[in-house]
Structure formats: C-alpha cells, structure tokens
C-alpha cells in the first residue's frame, strides 16, 4: 500500500491510486448542491466517476459507483464547506469539486439537454456524435471489447445521434461559459469505415467558427490519405485506441478490433500519422496518440507499447483499467497502483527522452487519464533542457492560440 506521506507529497500517485481503488462518498457531501458535476454514464466508459481536482491542479475522475469503489478505504468528506479525501480516517488531500458549468442545465434549440450532446471531461468538451459502435450490434457473436461500456450507456446520459447544429450550439456554450480550448470527437467502429466522413462536417464548422483545437479518436481507416485530409482541415490530434500491445491478449480482449483491423493496422496508422506534423498548416499543431489500457496486460508489455509509440513520434495515452458495471470485465479486480508506478514513470521519461511536445496545449486538463507531464513527480530524472524547451513552446502556443480565437467569429 502506498504510504500516506507519498500520497500527500506526490499528487500523481494519489491520482493513480484513486483510479485503482476508487472512493466512497460520505453522506456529508452535497456534490451537486456545492456546484460539482453529477455522475454521468456517457459513452466514454471511464467517465463514470466523480470529477474532482487534486492538489497540483490534477483533474481526475474517481470511480465511485463500481463495487470495488464502494469498498475503498478512500472516503470523500465535506468539512467546513470544503472537501477532503481521507484514507482509513487520515486526511490525504484537500480537493475541489470540478465545477458544473451553467450550460449543463440548458437545452439545444431542438430541445435536447446539452449534456446529451457533449460533456466536459476535465476541461475539454467530449462529443460522441454518431450511433453506437457496430461491434456492439453483432449477434449472436460478441465482438465488443470486453472492458467497454459504450453499448450499455447509449441513451442513458448520451443521445443517439447529434446534428452538426446541436454540437455547434454546445461548443459555443462551452466556449463562452467554460472557456474550453479543445473539442474531442470519439467514434467506435462502423462497418464501411464511415467514421471519418461522419466527423468531417463537425470539424469543419468548429474550425471555421471557433478556431478551437479539435481531436479525432476513431479506428484506423484503411485509406491513410484520409489523415492527410484531416491534417489539412486543421485537425490537431488523431488518436488510435489499440488498448493492448500483447498480441494474444489483444485478440482475447478486443475480438472485434482483432478480426476487423488487427493490431498491425493500428500501429501502421500511428506510424503514418506521426509523420504528418510537417506536412500540414504550420499554424495548426499536430499530435498523434496511441491509447492503451494499463492493467489488462503485464506492466512490461505496457512499457513496451509506450517505448514503441514514442520511438515513432507518437504520444502514449495511458488509461487505467476500470472494471465498469455491466461490462464483460465487471468482476475483474482493478489493477494495483504500485505495480503501475513504473508504467507511468516510463510514460513521462520516454516522452521526455524523445523530445515530444507534452503539456503544451492551453487549458487542457484531462480527468480520464494520467497525462505524461503529470507523471513527472514519479521520476527522479529532471531533463532541464527539455523542460525549458517545453515551457517556451507552451508560452508561444498559448499566445498564438489566444490571438487566433480572439479573431474567431
Ligand atoms: S471499438 Fe471496442 S472500445 Fe471502441 S466503442 Fe467499440 S467495443 Fe467499445
């Protein structure tokens, strides 16, 4: 078990341990009455928890509804109008509730609650614009990824389809009242590989009307030139969720992805996209992410995935496995945080060793994963020159972003 002093001194350790152990919410807490965000089951299964801000400004989404969380030794208490996390009765950290934006209570002109169109995950807007992933629709064979809750959540807190106008209305509200800088689109698999075509009208309108940063997370399209087109359109991030680097485990956990795409197609798309940085509009930054889940394969295998990704110029996005209610893996134990510390240490070190642009986007705090830069506290290595370079990039990018959004409509 991680020591109290380590958890108090290193917020990254606390963020990681809370992902793994979850937290109980004491009856003294009035999350929504105190301006916090309610718990929502949107299509991003990992967003099933309570959004809070840890010391050091680390935004997170702490599991609270799963059975392991209900037995956690961490408990959130309300104390003198503030919030504190205790472990077995000892104070660990004062935390803030992630603020619930005013637009969460608004509806679109078409009458949909705005939260069924998009939700904040940390400080960015996440949108799942199209129908449920086709891997959930195949019967009688089961082809959905076994950790995934997408097919369970649709229609619960998330609308089935969202028009471009509805999404743009929510983007405007989120920009004006929450100051978002980044919109992330996420799709599952659609037979016919229509996912990038579906996203294009949304991306074009956001770029034209708001000039915000936009990212696309979808399966790897067979026509790689589609990514040149996204790059030219001003998309800033593409992300490919291959989840697991061990081939046998990938096949077992992600049967649909294995049968339709295969791991190599994910890796080929990542390698291709990571080279597009120099081939698009210089005013639009570009990053390629490969997303993996720590806790579903041995840590050494996750570390191999991290090192492969950084070696080709991609930034790893590393989630922590959460055994979500109702999923095929509901009854699996969550991972052990101590076993994952080397994974997240390596995440930071590998990105720094390869000079990757981590932590440069303005006001992007992510609650669903540990960002590489958040893991600096897990490493003894300092990388002084790389830190100076990143700080300069961050300043320059913030100034350029402020200028261009000020000149948006
Ligand atoms: S591809 Fe897998 S993880 Fe993604 S939505 Fe479909 S079933 Fe879920």
């Amino acid at each position: 078990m991680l020591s109290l002093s380590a958890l108090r001194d290193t917020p990254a350790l606390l963020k990681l341990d809370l992902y793994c152990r979850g937290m109980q919410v004491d009856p003294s807490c009035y999350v929504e009455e105190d301006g916090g965000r309610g718990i929502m089951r949107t299509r991003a299964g990992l967003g099933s928890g309570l959004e809070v801000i840890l010391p050091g400004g680390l935004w997170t989404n702490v599991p609270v509804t799963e059975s392991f969380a209900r037995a956690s030794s961490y408990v959130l208490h309300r104390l003198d109008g503030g919030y504190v996390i205790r472990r077995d009765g000892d104070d660990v950290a004062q935390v803030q509730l992630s603020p619930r934006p005013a637009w969460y209570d608004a509806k679109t002109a078409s009458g949909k609650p705005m939260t069924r169109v998009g939700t904040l995950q940390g400080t960015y807007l996440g949108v799942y614009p199209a129908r449920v992933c086709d891997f959930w629709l195949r019967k009688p064979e089961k082809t959905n990824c076994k950790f995934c809750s997408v097919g369970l959540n649709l229609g619960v807190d998330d609308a089935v389809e969202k028009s471009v106008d509805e999404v743009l209305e929510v983007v405007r509200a989120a920009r004006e009242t929450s100051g978002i800088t980044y919109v992330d689109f996420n799709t599952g698999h659609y037979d016919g590989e229509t996912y990038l075509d579906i996203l294009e009208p949304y991306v074009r309108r956001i770029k034209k009307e708001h000039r915000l940063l936009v990212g696309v997370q979808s399966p790897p399209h067979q026509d790689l030139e589609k990514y040149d087109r996204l790059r030219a359109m001003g998309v800033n991030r593409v992300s490919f969720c291959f989840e697991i680097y061990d081939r046998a485990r990938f096949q077992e956990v992600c049967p649909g992805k294995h049968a339709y795409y295969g791991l190599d197609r994910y890796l080929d798309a990542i390698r291709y996209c990571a080279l597009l940085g120099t081939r698009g509009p210089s005013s639009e930054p570009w990053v390629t992410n490969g997303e993996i889940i720590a806790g579903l394969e041995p840590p050494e295998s996750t570390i191999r995935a991290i090192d492969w990704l950084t070696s080709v110029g991609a930034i790893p996005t590393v989630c922590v496995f959460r055994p979500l209610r109702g999923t095929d893996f509901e009854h699996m134990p969550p991972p052990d945080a101590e076993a994952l510390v080397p994974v997240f240490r390596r995440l930071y070190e590998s990105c720094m060793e390869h000079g990757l642009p981590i932590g440069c986007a303005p006001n992007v705090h992510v609650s669903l994963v540990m960002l590489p830069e958040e893991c600096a506290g897990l490493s003894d290595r300092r990388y002084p020159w790389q830190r100076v370079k990143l700080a300069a990039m961050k300043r320059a990018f913030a100034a350029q972003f402020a200028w261009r959004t000020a000149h948006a409509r």
Side-chain angles (χ1 to χ4, degrees), residues 133 135-136 144-145 147-148 150 188 243 257:
C133 169
F135 290 148
W136 276 89
N144 61 282
C145 303
F147 55 82
C148 174
V150 159
E243 328 289 6
K257 288 185 180 188

Side-chain angles (χ1 to χ4, degrees), residues 23 29 61 144 146 174 186 188 196 215 219 234 259 282 317 320 333 394 403:
M23 176 176 78
C29 301
N61 181 290
N144 61 282
K146 292 182 179 166
N186 197 312
L196 297 182
S282 58
T317 303
V320 173
K394 188 172 177 173
W403 184 88

Side-chain angles (χ1 to χ4, degrees), residues 69 187 230 243 304 311 337 344 367 382 389 393 398:
T187 79
L230 288 183
E243 328 289 6
R304 277 196 290 280
S311 76
F344 288 96
S367 58
R382 294 288 132 225
K389 188 175 127 196
M393 283 171 71

Side-chain angles (χ1 to χ4, degrees), residues 29-304:
C29 301
Y30 294 97
V31 170
E32 292 189 50
E33 293 83 345
D34 282 337
R37 300 179 191 171
I39 291 152
M40 280 193 274
R41 289 186 71 181
T42 52
R43 281 204 237 176
L46 290 182
S48 63
L50 182 66
E51 296 256 324
V52 298
I53 307 169
L54 301 178
L58 266 57
W59 293 60
T60 192
N61 181 290
V62 186
V64 291
T65 58
E66 290 75 22
S67 56
F68 73 93
R70 292 201 300 274
S72 174
S73 51
Y74 287 111
V75 184
L76 181 71
H77 293 267
R78 187 178 193 273
L79 207 63
D80 301 329
Y83 282 84
V84 62
I85 295 177
R86 291 180 173 153
R87 191 179 75 181
D88 296 323
D90 294 312
D91 287 6
V92 180
Q94 303 237 333
V95 300
Q96 290 171 259
L97 301 173
S98 305
R100 177 183 169 85
W103 61 268
Y104 264 33
D105 299 314
K107 289 189 174 171
T108 61
S110 59
K112 266 183 206 156
M114 286 196 173
T115 51
R116 289 173 72 100
V117 176
T119 51
L120 294 187
Q121 285 151 12
T123 57
Y124 71 86
L125 183 70
V127 182
Y128 303 80
R131 67 180 196 270
V132 72
C133 169
D134 282 354
F135 290 148
W136 276 89
L137 303 179
R138 302 238 168 94
K139 299 245 164 32
E141 53 175 339
K142 272 181 75 78
T143 55
N144 61 282
C145 303
K146 292 182 179 166
F147 55 82
C148 174
S149 69
V150 159
L152 307 171
N153 300 341
L154 194 66
V156 179
D157 284 325
D158 212 19
V160 177
E161 306 245 341
K162 297 133 191 195
S163 72
V164 176
D165 281 342
E166 287 168 340
V167 170
L168 264 289
E169 249 184 283
V170 174
V171 169
R172 181 168 295 280
R175 184 180 164 205
E176 287 173 356
T177 54
S178 303
I180 59 157
T181 54
Y182 173 62
V183 183
D184 190 71
F185 287 99
N186 197 312
T187 79
H189 160 76
Y190 305 131
D191 292 339
E193 300 188 26
T194 51
Y195 32 81
L196 297 182
D197 300 328
I198 290 170
L199 293 179
E200 189 170 326
Y202 299 91
V203 172
R204 285 196 184 280
R205 285 267 311 266
I206 293 173
K207 280 290 170 188
K208 184 167 172 225
E209 295 178 25
H210 296 283
R211 304 181 79 178
L212 295 174
L213 301 171
V214 174
V216 167
Q217 181 162 288
S218 64
H221 202 283
Q222 61 179 329
D223 177 5
L224 290 174
E225 288 185 6
K226 291 257 182 201
Y227 296 103
D228 295 75
R229 192 175 157 90
L230 288 183
R231 174 80 179 102
M233 217 181 285
V235 165
N236 305 99
R237 167 188 186 253
V238 284
S239 173
F240 300 94
C241 303
F242 60 94
E243 328 289 6
I244 290 168
Y245 199 54
D246 178 276
R247 286 174 187 273
R249 189 75 176 135
F250 174 77
Q251 178 172 358
E252 187 186 343
V253 176
C254 308
K257 288 185 180 188
H258 168 75
Y260 194 95
Y261 300 99
L263 183 57
D264 284 328
R265 205 157 120 184
Y266 282 85
L267 304 185
D268 289 346
I270 290 168
R271 199 185 281 110
Y272 182 87
C273 288
L275 295 173
L276 291 181
T278 53
R279 296 198 346 226
S282 58
S283 59
E284 294 286 5
W286 172 260
V287 294
T288 301
N289 289 118
E291 188 158 325
I292 46 181
I293 303 177
L296 286 176
E297 63 185 324
E300 309 78 59
S301 187
T302 309
I303 288 173
R304 277 196 290 280

